[in-house]
Amino acid sequence: MEIFMDAALAEAKKGMDEGGIPIGAVLVHNGEIIGRGHNRRVQQGSAILHGEMDALENAGRQPASVYRECVMYTTLSPCSMCSGTMLLYGIPKVVIGENRTFMGEEELLRERGVEVEVVDDERCVELMRQFIEEKPELWNEDIGE
């Protein structure tokens, strides 16, 4: 599992290096990364390219049977948009790097039968804290405030 969170964190750092928001994600099927992504709202001028959405987009079209066997690894607790997309496609498990800087829709996911695991990775916490401190306006835009 650590290798997949490391990959999500590498995506988050890539996003930060590109001038974007440091949230990364990987979609894993049968122990293999099939999609990786990072928040690219700033880079692409997009309203929806959060890390999880980018990972799903980069995985390409998959049959429902594949999504039902996947695990989403994300550096930050997923927002309502990303959580809704995971619910739509029936992704049964999400592993979250941290939820101290932002609490997403974890309860909704649990209520709908998704296994939610929070690893509380200090690297993810520090990356987000640094970003929020340096760019609070951009962070507020990303979470719709």
Side-chain angles (χ1 to χ4, degrees):
M1 174 173 56
E2 189 173 331
I3 190 168
F4 300 127
M5 189 54 67
D6 289 347
L9 187 59
E11 286 292 323
K13 289 178 179 177
K14 184 176 179 182
M16 191 168 190
D17 290 345
E18 294 171 353
I21 299 157
I23 303 167
V26 294
L27 185 65
V28 176
H29 180 253
N30 291 333
E32 180 181 329
I33 296 173
I34 63 169
R36 58 180 68 232
H38 54 277
N39 187 305
R40 294 189 306 141
R41 290 185 66 249
V42 172
Q43 300 92 311
Q44 298 293 318
S46 171
I48 63 169
L49 274 181
H50 284 190
E52 299 92 338
M53 302 296 278
D54 195 37
L56 284 161
E57 180 70 17
N58 290 326
R61 281 180 60 194
Q62 300 293 328
S65 60
V66 170
Y67 292 123
R68 287 191 300 263
E69 297 174 340
C70 284
V71 178
M72 178 70 77
Y73 288 80
T74 180
T75 58
L76 187 64
S77 186
C79 73
S80 51
M81 175 178 64
C82 296
S83 295
T85 303
M86 286 186 266
L87 290 172
L88 176 68
Y89 289 111
I91 295 171
K93 182 175 181 179
V94 60
V95 179
I96 299 167
E98 68 103 350
N99 62 6
R100 287 191 255 163
T101 60
F102 177 78
M103 175 59 77
E105 297 293 336
E106 295 174 27
E107 282 308 308
L108 172 65
L109 291 167
R110 286 185 183 102
E111 288 170 6
R112 298 285 298 274
V114 175
E115 181 182 349
V116 176
E117 181 179 344
V118 181
V119 296
D120 200 30
D121 188 315
E122 196 62 41
R123 301 170 302 168
C124 297
V125 174
E126 287 308 311
L127 187 63
M128 282 308 300
R129 281 190 177 150
Q130 175 188 350
F131 173 76
I132 291 167
E133 183 178 307
E134 291 174 3
K135 299 183 178 179
E137 301 85 14
L138 185 54
W139 170 241
N140 288 333
E141 174 190 321
D142 195 62
I143 60 172
E145 290 187 8

